[in-house]
Amino acid sequence: MTGAAETHRVLVIEDEAPIRRFLAIALGSAGFAMEEAARGREGIEKAATAAPDVVVLDLGLPDMDGKAVVAAIREWSQVPILILSVRDGEAEKIAALDAGADDYVTKPFATGELLARLRALVRSRRRADAEPPAVAIGDLSVDLARRLVTVGGREVKLTRKEYDVLALLARFQGRLVTHRQLLSTVWGPAHLDDTHYLRIAVGHIRDKLGDDAADPRFILTEPGVGYRLA
Amino acid sequence: MPISEPDRPVPEALLDQQRGAGRGKLKVFLGASPGVGKTFAMLEEARVRQRAGRDVVVALVETHGRSETAGLLASLEQLPRRTIDYRGQTLQEMDIDALLARRPQLALIDEFAHTNAPGSRHPKRWQDVLEVLDAGIDVTTTLNIQHVESLNDVVARITGVRVQETVPDEVLQRADEIELIDLPPEELIGRLREGKVYVPQQVGRALENFFTKGNLTALRELALRTAASHVDADMLTYMQANAVKGPWPTQERLLVCINEAPVARALVRAGKRMADRAKIPWIVATVVTPRHEALGEEARAATLEALRLAETLGAEPVTLHSESDAASEVLAFARARNVTRIVIGRPRRRWPFGYLREPVSDRILDRATDFEVTVVAQHARIERRRILAAAELPRWRQWVPTLAETFAAMTASTIIAWPLAPYVPLASLAVIYLVAVSVVAFRRGLAAALAASVLGFLTYNFFFTTPYYSFAVEQDEAVVALLVFLVSAVFTGTLASRLKAQVDSMRAAQRRTETLYAFARKIASARKADDVLWAAAAHIAATLNCRSLILMPDASGTLEQVQGHPAIDELDAKSEGAARWAFEKNEPAGAGTTTLPTSEWLFVPLATASAPLGVIGVQFRERGSGLDPETKRLLLAVEDQVAVALERFTLAADLEDSRVKAEGEKLRAALLNSVSHDLRTPLVTVIGAVTGIAEGDEALKPADRRELAATALDEARRLDRYVQNLLGMTRLGHGALEPKRAAIDLREIVGRVRGDLQRVIAGHTLAVDMPRDLAPILADPVLIGQAVANVIENAAKYAPAGTSIGVAAANTGETVTLTISDEGPGIPSADREKVFDLFYRVSKGDGAPAGTGLGLAIVRGLVEAHGGTVTASAGPAGRGTAIAIVLPRADEVVVPDEAK
């Protein structure tokens, strides 16, 4: 891998100038190249012209609704979108995720957290073309090719649905996967409201993996939104 | 010689003068008869005033085809008249609304005593005039002496013509100026012959009788006297207002006693003349006894009419109640009110019962030794005829059962007496009949008693005296027995029927008291003003057997129906007008009153001492029942109670308001204090640390730089949490918080919170004890997460570093309980409830950990929004604090096998 290939372009759509300023410094020093837009329409345009590898989108834009920006970009691009949301905007955040955004970070955020999420998004995008054969977190290993799950080398027996859930999380490792995504992929679009299927299945997976919901190592909960694999 | 204190003006007199200030002035051109030239004089004077620059408008003047009058009229502005269609006739009346809108300085309104066409706002023109005066417009008008109410009788006696259109004396007394238009009788008769006098319809028939020299002279004298007495009254007011010393009469009073007798109206008029001459206030009183209540509607209406007349003549109408002794009731009242003169009517002795008991007037005469009593003879033949003709006989429907019962009673007596006849003396059998008569009398009243007496007499005679089976009587002894029987029967019957009347009346009184008591109890226990109004509407409707309404002004001042029993859709325009009138003028209006009497509803104002609240409306099932004393008493009682109850609510609401306000003030002060302190403290650190980094440059060692950055970051995070809490509190306070509940696993929440608070709890160990089989709870994961985070953060803040924070959960029946305990200093038991109050902190001062007093208040708000509870207690080993959050658990759901 060359240094040039490692430089990813980030499009930041954010109306607050101070935030854009510090992001430019933080992202620049972390090896990202930053494009910026202060308005939603301008952002959509740049997403088309600047060919970014990942988009950081603030939901509270003055000219248009953040969900509309997500929907507009999703019409022609699968570029990963990271939402910046305030803590009270739960409903809007979930709506944006359902509209096609990939992850979110709550404002105010630590730079380190934002960078980690951005990296996860870029990584999973590269993977989308070629699915990774296996994912490992600590002593947990999910072998997607062989449908084999082991903890500390010991095989864990999961039901089909439990394996499907874990595999989906592993495929997007580090990224948030919403309840909706999980339910529609694993149980089918008819079961979008059966969140208890998911809750119970995740509970069983945690038990079998020896993971503690109150002090999770593998599966992290985003309350009311979804799950992510550490 | 002692120096006398300066004489002070009498306050009432000053008030009288004052009252005239905002009102227009009334001038009356008074004449002895038609044709003396009142209208002409009025128009001439108006012209003079107009030339002097006054804004004069002719609201309504009749020329009666006289060219001189028409000529004068032409030079003045005339208001168009209003046309009213009444039963095919087209009538023209004064347009009072146009006049009020035009607002001239002076309005000319002819014929003060005129009766308006049905459907007008007021039945009488003098009422229109009063309204115009109230609007601040001066009025001049014309009046003939025979139209003055109190002179009505006198004029009728002089001329033999009774005039129907009258003006109350009280109204005439309000005139600021009375100008007498005098014309010697000879000259008037001359003008009449020349055809210069328009002859009004009511006089037309009696033309020859009316315009005689004798009549005209007498009327002229009356007019002169009236004008003169008005000058007297003016003088009196002036003397009182200016404290001129004079021979004042002491505050004596004249009392006129009336009952349903036809003489009542004449008595009232006589009383008015006497009171006027003596210049003393007067009262007209009637006593309601059980006997009175047993009387028919017609008789009661007569009393009512006389009382109304008294009121228009300026008397104070009073209704007294007495169970048996009307005379002593009257005398007690007279003594209490400082009455010196009593006027009563000559008693009527009607055969035969009038002679059975002493009339009230006789008893008053006997006992009123300390009063001057005047007995007025009856001059009321005309009216008596009218009353007698109007008094309906009881309807045949009532007679049929009464007669049937009478027959049945007599037949029963005969059947009982028949087998006994051979064994007992003849006279004893009569007793059986007497008993039957008493029974019938008690059940059916006086008329039935008399019928039973006669029937009993005939039956007894037919069956038991020789010759048997004939009405003939043989023996003298039997004649005596029969006569004795008849007399006894009549007496017993009369007594029994009076007893019945008394019992009925007492029952009615008891019912009234009971319902009023029930009503008082109901509104005393009412929680809302609405309940009071509802109870009032229901009570009025039930007691008066009518429909009732309560109207109150809404925000824009429009009267709105707030209660109705039953509720009605909409009031017609006329009733609405009456309601508005009653509300604005604070006097009854509508059916049975003199304002808008054609309205179907009667409205009485509902007001407290301080402000008008609304109006009560009643609609009687039978038209024509109006504001009789009984109804008035009831409405007043209800109104009193309602007003008091409503005032109670207003006061309570005011109190609550000021309490809430004070609470709000306290909270505001606490919030201001919190914001200024807790918001600024972290900022001080952040700004200090960041400027240190920015300006320190190369001088700063890398380790110090990192230290400064870490400090700034911690404080910035604290500030963020504080703002978050403030926002949370605001949302809780506005009720904008709507938990989106779902079945969630409390362990997941704790896991997430733990991740978020990593830095905060870094100095403590977290001991989590949550069983695997913990039931899911029904809650909003984000909000409950915030509540749990606040409690854990609080524990970390107060418990010393290195100690452990316990997080334990357990299924507790229908709920799940999460307990978070620390090993900190604990909360004194007295403060354990208060820690959940806004801005409350256990330890205060600079030594206390930085906090906001918001955290636990938000916890309580969030948990209670989920239908849960949160309490504080001592920690597990009696040390520290344990906060227990109890939340409802979610229903267990079964996942089908294929979904596993």
Side-chain angles (χ1 to χ4, degrees):
Chain A
M1 276 188 233
T2 63
E6 279 298 315
T7 306
H8 298 292
R9 262 195 305 283
V10 182
L11 170 61
V12 175
I13 309 175
E14 161 70 66
D15 60 318
E16 293 289 339
I19 296 178
R20 290 204 304 271
R21 206 154 62 221
F22 94 74
L23 279 181
I25 297 171
L27 291 174
S29 61
F32 288 96
M34 186 174 127
E35 291 284 336
E36 49 188 273
R39 294 282 185 275
R41 297 195 194 294
E42 189 191 348
I44 296 169
E45 221 175 278
K46 288 224 168 137
T49 55
D53 295 300
V54 61
V55 174
V56 175
L57 171 67
D58 175 27
L59 279 187
L61 290 171
D63 64 332
M64 62 191 289
D65 187 30
K67 295 192 293 284
V69 178
V70 173
I73 294 176
R74 277 288 169 266
E75 276 176 22
W76 40 263
S77 168
Q78 288 304 314
V79 61
I81 300 174
L82 179 82
I83 300 292
L84 291 182
S85 76
V86 289
R87 215 178 299 172
D88 292 331
E90 292 299 328
E92 200 165 336
K93 181 166 74 193
I94 294 170
L97 289 170
D98 286 340
D102 296 272
D103 205 343
Y104 75 87
V105 171
T106 304
K107 279 180 178 178
F109 50 85
T111 315
E113 190 187 350
L114 178 74
L115 292 175
R117 293 286 168 78
L118 283 177
R119 288 196 185 103
L121 283 176
V122 172
R123 196 165 59 230
S124 67
R125 192 193 186 195
R126 264 186 319 189
R127 249 186 241 148
D129 314 319
E131 196 177 90
V135 175
I137 302 119
D139 55 358
L140 168 69
S141 144
V142 182
D143 188 334
L144 293 169
R146 290 163 56 205
R147 298 178 68 89
L148 187 69
V149 179
T150 57
V151 175
R154 201 162 35 82
E155 191 187 332
V156 177
K157 280 207 81 70
L158 295 176
T159 66
R160 235 181 72 182
K161 298 283 181 200
E162 287 164 8
Y163 173 78
D164 288 348
V165 169
L166 186 60
L168 191 60
L169 290 175
R171 212 164 282 138
F172 295 103
Q173 191 213 335
R175 270 178 61 179
L176 171 71
V177 184
T178 64
H179 291 157
R180 202 184 159 84
Q181 280 173 290
L182 285 161
L183 285 165
S184 81
T185 312
V186 177
W187 281 276
H191 295 278
L192 288 183
D193 291 326
D194 294 329
T195 46
H196 59 279
Y197 287 6
L198 186 58
R199 177 171 54 80
I200 290 164
V202 170
H204 288 158
I205 299 169
R206 278 176 171 150
D207 285 350
K208 290 176 181 174
L209 300 182
D211 196 15
D212 183 1
D215 190 10
R217 287 184 295 149
F218 307 131
I219 302 177
L220 308 181
T221 311
E222 295 285 348
V225 182
Y227 295 95
R228 77 170 82 234
L229 207 60
Chain B
M1 203 174 127
I3 300 164
S4 65
E5 200 188 323
D7 299 306
R8 278 200 226 114
V10 178
E12 284 77 13
L14 282 176
L15 268 179
D16 265 0
Q17 285 196 330
Q18 199 62 44
R19 220 172 309 166
R23 250 184 30 211
K25 296 211 178 308
L26 175 64
K27 179 169 183 174
V28 179
F29 286 87
L30 184 69
S33 83
V36 294
K38 298 176 301 294
T39 306
F40 190 81
M42 174 170 79
L43 288 173
E44 254 187 344
E45 192 219 37
R47 277 240 305 233
V48 173
R49 297 221 188 164
Q50 192 184 38
R51 261 182 248 127
R54 300 258 295 169
D55 179 18
V56 180
V57 161
V58 176
L60 188 136
V61 163
E62 301 285 355
T63 60
H64 300 308
R66 263 169 273 164
S67 54
E68 305 146 294
T69 318
L72 273 178
L73 201 54
S75 61
L76 293 163
E77 177 188 344
Q78 290 191 64
L79 219 58
R81 298 183 189 187
R82 202 160 63 92
T83 310
I84 295 174
D85 286 321
Y86 180 68
R87 295 192 183 154
Q89 276 180 283
T90 310
L91 303 172
Q92 291 203 323
E93 289 293 351
M94 182 175 86
D95 192 341
I96 180 166
D97 290 319
L99 177 58
L100 291 175
R102 167 67 179 76
R103 286 200 72 84
Q105 286 174 302
L106 174 68
L108 306 189
I109 303 173
D110 212 1
E111 292 179 15
F112 201 25
H114 173 79
T115 298
N116 287 333
S120 303
R121 171 141 26 139
H122 301 293
K124 298 286 187 182
R125 183 169 293 158
W126 59 263
Q127 292 168 319
D128 291 341
V129 169
L130 289 185
E131 196 182 338
V132 173
L133 288 171
D134 280 343
I137 301 169
D138 291 351
V139 175
T140 58
T141 185
T142 62
L143 181 70
N144 284 329
I145 194 69
Q146 70 262 36
H147 294 297
V148 176
E149 176 78 55
S150 66
L151 298 176
N152 197 262
D153 282 347
V154 182
V155 173
R157 266 207 304 271
I158 295 171
T159 61
V161 178
R162 183 169 287 277
V163 182
Q164 296 300 329
E165 301 183 326
T166 57
V167 174
D169 295 55
E170 204 192 23
V171 176
L172 195 59
Q173 273 165 17
R174 279 174 67 172
D176 298 276
E177 203 180 326
I178 292 184
E179 187 165 333
L180 181 70
I181 305 303
D182 192 29
L183 194 70
E186 291 84 355
E187 218 166 298
L188 178 61
I189 294 172
R191 285 182 55 150
L192 187 71
R193 293 225 177 89
E194 290 161 27
K196 283 185 176 171
V197 177
Y198 164 77
V199 177
Q201 202 184 346
Q202 68 264 35
V203 177
R205 279 177 280 115
L207 188 61
E208 296 82 40
N209 299 335
F210 191 86
F211 287 102
T212 62
K213 196 173 166 188
N215 274 358
L216 290 176
T217 308
L219 288 175
R220 190 180 170 208
E221 193 193 324
L222 263 180
L224 285 166
R225 271 220 313 253
T226 306
S229 80
H230 191 270
V231 173
D232 269 5
D234 277 355
M235 177 66 99
L236 197 68
T237 313
Y238 173 82
M239 285 165 84
Q240 286 179 343
N242 294 284
V244 178
K245 250 187 159 186
W248 305 126
T250 50
Q251 270 302 314
E252 311 182 342
R253 279 187 175 76
L254 176 88
L255 174 66
V256 181
C257 304
I258 60 164
N259 59 5
E260 74 287 352
V263 74
R265 286 169 67 90
L267 270 177
V268 168
R269 292 202 178 98
K272 158 75 179 163
R273 283 196 301 278
M274 289 166 72
D276 276 1
R277 273 201 298 276
K279 296 197 170 57
I280 56 174
W282 60 302
I283 303 166
V284 174
T286 185
V287 185
V288 176
T289 60
R291 186 185 63 84
H292 187 259
E293 297 205 4
L295 286 172
E297 279 298 324
E298 290 294 332
R300 278 202 270 179
T303 316
L304 186 61
E305 209 178 311
L307 278 179
R308 268 199 212 134
L309 173 69
E311 206 168 358
T312 54
L313 289 179
E316 176 190 346
V318 168
T319 307
L320 301 170
H321 288 262
S322 164
E323 286 310 322
S324 56
D325 192 355
S328 45
E329 185 70 33
V330 165
L331 292 175
F333 173 77
R335 291 199 178 94
R337 294 295 302 271
N338 198 20
V339 167
T340 46
R341 304 167 68 174
I342 298 179
V343 178
I344 52 176
R346 183 177 296 286
R348 294 161 296 157
R349 297 259 184 191
R350 269 195 294 166
W351 193 88
F353 309 107
Y355 289 90
L356 295 180
R357 59 196 158 83
E358 198 182 8
V360 174
S361 46
D362 283 2
R363 275 181 283 157
I364 290 177
L365 265 177
D366 281 353
R367 286 190 239 161
T369 47
D370 46 349
F371 295 96
E372 180 187 328
V373 181
T374 308
V375 181
V376 174
Q378 303 196 17
H379 281 290
R381 270 166 298 131
I382 310 163
E383 292 177 62
R384 187 156 96 196
R385 266 207 308 279
R386 194 168 61 79
I387 294 272
L388 284 182
E392 266 179 57
L393 287 167
R395 292 191 191 92
W396 65 273
R397 278 176 205 287
Q398 291 167 346
W399 271 106
V400 169
T402 304
L403 280 177
E405 200 167 299
T406 309
F407 270 108
M410 290 310 129
T411 311
S413 305
T414 311
I415 290 169
I416 295 168
W418 185 256
L420 297 176
Y423 311 109
V424 296
L426 192 57
S428 306
L429 294 178
V431 175
I432 295 170
Y433 283 89
L434 281 184
V435 170
V437 168
S438 319
V439 169
V440 171
F442 186 75
R443 288 173 53 83
R444 293 287 173 175
L446 185 59
L450 297 181
S453 303
V454 172
L455 193 63
F457 168 80
L458 293 176
T459 322
Y460 183 65
N461 180 359
F462 191 77
F463 286 105
F464 299 109
T465 60
T466 50
Y468 298 120
Y469 316 121
S470 143
F471 291 117
V473 184
E474 243 168 25
Q475 303 162 324
D476 292 346
E477 191 194 333
V479 172
V480 173
L482 277 173
L483 282 180
V484 168
F485 169 77
L486 187 61
V487 171
S488 329
V490 168
F491 264 102
T492 328
T494 313
L495 284 178
S497 70
R498 279 180 67 188
L499 181 65
K500 169 189 159 52
Q502 232 157 38
V503 167
D504 283 354
S505 140
M506 271 161 72
R507 276 202 192 122
Q510 193 188 357
R511 238 189 345 263
R512 275 199 300 275
T513 317
E514 267 171 14
T515 48
L516 200 61
Y517 177 62
F519 171 62
R521 250 189 344 202
K522 207 181 285 170
I523 68 167
S525 64
R527 299 233 168 273
K528 294 195 308 268
D530 258 7
D531 297 347
V532 172
L533 296 177
W534 187 87
H539 177 71
I540 293 170
T543 323
L544 294 181
N545 185 30
C546 64
R547 291 154 61 107
S548 69
L549 265 191
I550 294 178
L551 308 180
M552 285 190 159
D554 62 11
S556 65
T558 318
L559 282 175
E560 284 288 334
Q561 180 184 183
V562 290
Q563 282 298 343
H565 199 92
I568 58 161
D569 290 339
E570 212 167 292
L571 280 176
D572 57 296
K574 209 176 275 168
S575 301
E576 221 163 78
R580 189 124 278 283
W581 180 279
F583 181 68
E584 281 170 3
K585 308 271 166 162
N586 200 19
E587 60 187 39
T593 68
T594 52
T595 308
L596 291 165
T598 46
S599 156
E600 285 182 6
W601 288 80
L602 162 66
F603 290 97
V604 293
L606 174 65
T608 58
S610 48
L613 297 173
V615 291
I616 299 176
V618 292
Q619 183 190 33
F620 295 101
R621 299 202 200 288
E622 304 160 29
R623 283 219 51 142
S625 351
L627 206 52
D628 60 71
E630 195 50 48
T631 312
K632 206 167 173 177
R633 212 156 57 105
L634 178 99
L635 285 176
L636 275 179
V638 170
E639 193 194 321
D640 269 4
Q641 303 238 21
V642 169
V644 167
L646 290 183
E647 201 137 60
R648 175 162 64 92
F649 285 121
T650 319
L651 287 180
D654 282 356
L655 210 66
E656 177 65 18
D657 252 16
S658 55
R659 201 186 62 75
V660 166
K661 222 182 227 163
E663 199 85 337
E665 284 300 314
K666 227 167 76 188
L667 213 62
R668 234 168 62 118
L671 178 68
L672 216 66
N673 182 40
S674 164
V675 168
S676 66
H677 177 261
D678 302 313
L679 214 55
R680 223 181 261 151
T681 311
L683 275 177
V684 170
T685 316
V686 170
I687 292 175
V690 174
T691 47
I693 295 169
E695 292 157 14
D697 260 344
E698 310 300 318
L700 227 52
K701 277 182 248 159
D704 293 341
R705 190 189 296 266
R706 271 198 299 280
E707 181 63 34
L708 278 178
T711 311
L713 188 59
D714 281 350
E715 285 303 290
R717 287 217 160 97
R718 200 175 97 197
L719 192 60
D720 175 42
R721 283 196 298 277
Y722 175 70
V723 170
Q724 193 56 37
N725 274 339
L726 268 184
L727 285 174
M729 207 63 238
T730 313
R731 284 203 298 171
L732 274 174
H734 284 123
L737 202 73
E738 262 181 56
K740 280 192 286 289
R741 294 180 204 203
I744 54 170
D745 184 350
L746 207 43
R747 287 182 303 175
E748 289 190 338
I749 300 295
V750 170
R752 172 61 200 233
V753 167
R754 185 180 208 164
D756 285 350
L757 292 182
Q758 249 166 17
R759 297 178 59 89
V760 177
I761 56 174
H764 298 81
T765 45
L766 206 61
V768 179
D769 174 21
M770 300 176 90
R772 283 261 167 89
D773 64 346
L774 192 67
I777 56 165
L778 194 62
D780 182 315
V782 179
L783 298 181
I784 285 305
Q786 196 186 342
V788 173
N790 278 7
V791 177
I792 293 180
E793 195 187 339
N794 229 41
K797 194 154 62 189
Y798 290 99
T803 57
S804 128
I805 296 171
V807 179
N811 295 328
T812 41
E814 287 302 297
T815 56
V816 173
T817 305
L818 177 72
T819 311
I820 295 157
S821 51
D822 65 47
E823 295 169 13
I827 304 169
S829 54
D831 285 342
R832 281 183 192 148
E833 251 321 281
K834 291 192 202 147
V835 292
F836 297 104
D837 287 350
L838 263 187
F839 302 115
Y840 185 83
R841 277 190 261 176
V842 176
S843 51
K844 295 183 174 87
D846 285 346
T852 59
L854 279 173
L856 288 182
I858 290 176
V859 171
R860 171 158 282 184
L862 290 171
V863 170
E864 284 179 354
H866 285 86
T869 57
V870 55
T871 48
S873 60
R879 290 181 304 134
T881 306
I883 304 277
I885 297 174
V886 180
L887 288 163
R889 61 187 282 178
D891 295 330
E892 290 291 350
V893 275
V894 183
V895 179
D897 280 341
E898 70 272 14
K900 280 184 180 164

